């Protein structure tokens, strides 16, 4: 039988091999070039004169430059949290990081000089590193919005929705469904290498065993061969041909019936894994999944596992992704927040705006408590509940979150395992 050619994989430009997916949580940069003075400390969102020293909190965001629109949207989300949770004596001081390492350092110094007892943000890991260096010297905790776990350290939290934690949750679900043998197909870039570094620990803690890990160059001519080798297509195709020869040589009626059952097949046997980690998103994911299907990796047999970036309606109709799962915050709270934000500000919020809301609300609640903002309060073992569900801040700078597990189908993403409501639940 003559096979159709493999899906065409085109090179999408020089950035294709190096740009790390952002899980579609952060939109494309806006054309906004900034305004004079955006790098200065902005006036407090509440009356600065009414604030006590212990109730000053800084909000570090890219308020100018290519990500200025995103930073201002996150500031709007913080304003909603202030309305909901802050007292009149709480002050939030937005400061521009310009999305850079040096901007993070300068913004943190301004925050400390202004008396901030807690820093919320920055967003990008370079800015987090810069801000953390200054804040640690002043013993001021940093609750960042980054999802890059390499930026985490004691006193500097990575409070974003990290892909590693999402994979861990979805992998545990796969194990509960009888899928124990894992493999991973990762992009050859910083994002893929970062995930690779954590996979052994993630899968072991989920109860599975980690097998082969392969890297592909997104959009490259070599991508098809990488997927073909990963799927062990050559050996499985040869096994089919050998089996057909055996049956033909036998010539019995049973062998003829067996040959009929093999008609239309191109390989014999399954890959040596039954759960596959695919953290790619968008067009990259569509290309990889199409090639996997072409080389006989059946999503009906192999559980595909992705990240929150799979929550993309353009992917739901992809046959090769049907039945795939990913971890995500339960959608109900976000839907309500998004409607309220849109009604208030006249535009839809970026998906990561929830981080700004939850962090600001947490700061306001702690500031209004009898003990104020303290390390013990921030690392309360019972955790907190926000738009993105339950979360708690661990001493090592990592944030632990309670995710739901969603499954892709043509009709959308449906929940197959709910998020825990508290940290005494197993997840």
């Amino acid at each position: 039988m003559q096979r159709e050619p493999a899906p065409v994989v085109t090179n999408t430009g020089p950035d294709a091999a190096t740009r790390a997916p952002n899980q579609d949580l952060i939109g494309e940069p806006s054309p906004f070039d900034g305004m004079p003075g955006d790098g200065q400390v902005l006036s407090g969102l509440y009356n600065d004169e009414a604030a006590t020293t212990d109730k000053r909190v800084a909000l570090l965001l890219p308020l100018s430059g290519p990500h200025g629109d995103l930073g201002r949207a996150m500031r709007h989300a913080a304003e909603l949290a202030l309305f909901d949770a802050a007292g009149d004596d709480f002050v939030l001081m937005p400061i521009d990081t310009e999305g850079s390492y040096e901007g993070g350092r300068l913004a943190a110094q301004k925050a400390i000089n202004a008396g901030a007892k807690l820093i919320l943000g920055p967003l990008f890991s370079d800015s987090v590193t810069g801000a953390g260096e200054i804040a640690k010297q002043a013993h001021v905790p940093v609750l960042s919005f980054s999802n890059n776990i390499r930026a985490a350290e004691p006193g500097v939290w990575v409070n974003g929705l990290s892909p590693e934690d999402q994979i861990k949750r979805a992998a545990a679900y796969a194990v509960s469904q009888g899928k124990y043998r894992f493999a991973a197909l990762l992009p050859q870039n910083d994002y893929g290498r970062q995930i690779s570094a954590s996979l052994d620990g993630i899968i072991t803690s989920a109860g599975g065993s980690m097998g082969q890990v392969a890297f592909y160059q997104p959009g490259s001519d070599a991508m098809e061969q990488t997927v073909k080798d990963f799927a062990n297509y050559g050996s499985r195709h040869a096994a089919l041909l050998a089996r057909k020869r055996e049956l033909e040589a036998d010539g019995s009626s049973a062998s003829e019936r067996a040959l009929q059952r093999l008609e239309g097949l191109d390989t014999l046997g399954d890959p040596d894994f039954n759960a596959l980690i695919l953290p790619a998103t968008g067009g990259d994911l569509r290309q990889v999944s199409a090639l996997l299907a072409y080389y006989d990796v059946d999503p009906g047999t192999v559980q595909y596992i992705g990240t929150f970036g799979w929550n993309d309606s353009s992917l739901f109709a992809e046959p090769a992704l049907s039945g795939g799962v990913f971890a995500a915050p339960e959608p109900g709270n976000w839907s309500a927040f998004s409607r309220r934000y849109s009604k208030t500000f006249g535009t839809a919020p970026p998906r990561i705006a929830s981080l700004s809301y939850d962090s600001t609300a947490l700061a306001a609640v702690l500031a209004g408590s009898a003990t104020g903002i303290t390390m013990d309060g921030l690392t309360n073992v019972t955790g907190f509940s926000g738009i993105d569900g339950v979360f708690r801040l661990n001493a090592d700078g990592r944030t632990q979150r309670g995710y739901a597990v969603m499954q892709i189908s043509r009709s959308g993403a449906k929940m197959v395992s709910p998020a825990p409501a508290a940290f005494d639940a197993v997840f």
Side-chain angles (χ1 to χ4, degrees), residues 39-41 93 95-96 105-116:
Q40 302 300 315
V41 177
M93 302 175 292
I95 307 174
D96 186 13
R105 286 179 58 89
L106 292 174
Q109 190 62 64
K110 290 174 183 176
I112 291 163
N113 291 345

Side-chain angles (χ1 to χ4, degrees), residues 1-189:
M1 181 183 67
Q2 185 68 33
R3 300 189 84 203
E4 293 293 325
V8 174
V9 179
T10 58
N11 195 317
T12 56
D15 287 341
T18 58
R19 184 183 299 150
N22 60 43
Q23 299 181 263
D24 294 329
L25 303 180
I26 302 174
E28 289 298 315
S30 78
F32 179 80
D33 290 324
M35 296 289 288
D38 272 344
Q40 302 300 315
V41 177
L42 304 180
S43 59
L45 295 176
Y46 272 52
N47 183 3
D48 188 65
E49 294 180 357
T52 65
T53 301
D54 290 336
K55 296 185 179 181
R56 293 175 183 267
V57 172
L59 178 66
L60 273 56
L61 291 168
L63 298 172
S64 65
H67 291 285
D69 284 352
L70 176 60
R72 289 186 292 276
M74 295 187 73
R75 178 183 173 178
H76 286 330
E79 292 173 9
L80 290 180
L82 289 175
F83 181 83
D84 290 343
D88 290 342
D89 58 350
F90 178 85
V91 73
L92 186 67
M93 302 175 292
I95 307 174
D96 186 13
T97 65
E98 302 177 358
S100 68
Y101 164 81
E102 189 59 35
R105 286 179 58 89
L106 292 174
Q109 190 62 64
K110 290 174 183 176
I112 291 163
N113 291 345
K117 298 302 178 184
L118 173 65
I119 291 174
L120 306 180
L123 173 58
F124 300 112
S125 57
D126 285 348
S127 299
V128 174
T129 300
E133 291 173 357
I134 300 299
K136 284 185 298 181
Q137 296 175 14
H139 304 290
V140 174
V142 175
L143 185 55
S144 83
F145 306 135
S146 173
N147 67 356
N148 187 340
I149 61 172
R150 287 184 284 191
E153 57 181 314
V156 179
W157 283 279
V158 168
N159 198 32
L161 310 180
S162 77
E164 291 89 346
D165 291 342
Q166 295 163 35
I167 291 170
K168 180 178 179 180
R169 171 68 169 105
Y173 171 80
V175 168
S176 75
Q177 303 302 302
K179 308 293 187 180
Y180 299 99
R181 295 177 286 111
F182 286 76
L185 191 54
L186 311 174
Q188 181 68 56
N189 54 30

Side-chain angles (χ1 to χ4, degrees), residues 246-282:
E246 290 176 1
L247 294 171
E248 289 167 352
D250 182 275
S252 66
S253 58
S255 295
E256 289 179 0
R257 289 192 297 273
L259 275 169
Q260 290 175 355
R261 288 193 294 271
L262 295 178
E263 284 298 319
L265 298 183
D266 205 52
T267 58
L268 186 63
D270 295 321
D272 58 1
F273 52 86
N274 57 17
L276 175 57
I277 297 166
L278 289 174
T281 59

Side-chain angles (χ1 to χ4, degrees), residues 117-121 141-146 152-161 165 355 358-363 366 373-386 389-402 423 427:
K117 298 302 178 184
L118 173 65
I119 291 174
L120 306 180
V142 175
L143 185 55
S144 83
F145 306 135
S146 173
E153 57 181 314
V156 179
W157 283 279
V158 168
N159 198 32
L161 310 180
D165 291 342
L355 300 177
D358 284 353
S359 298
T360 303
L362 170 58
L366 290 179
I373 298 172
T374 64
M375 292 294 288
D376 285 345
L378 288 166
T379 56
N380 186 330
V381 294
T382 60
F384 312 97
S385 182
V390 294
F391 67 101
R392 63 180 169 192
L393 309 178
N394 295 333
D396 61 358
R398 297 280 295 270
T399 298
Q400 187 177 4
R401 291 186 174 275
F423 282 100
F427 64 97

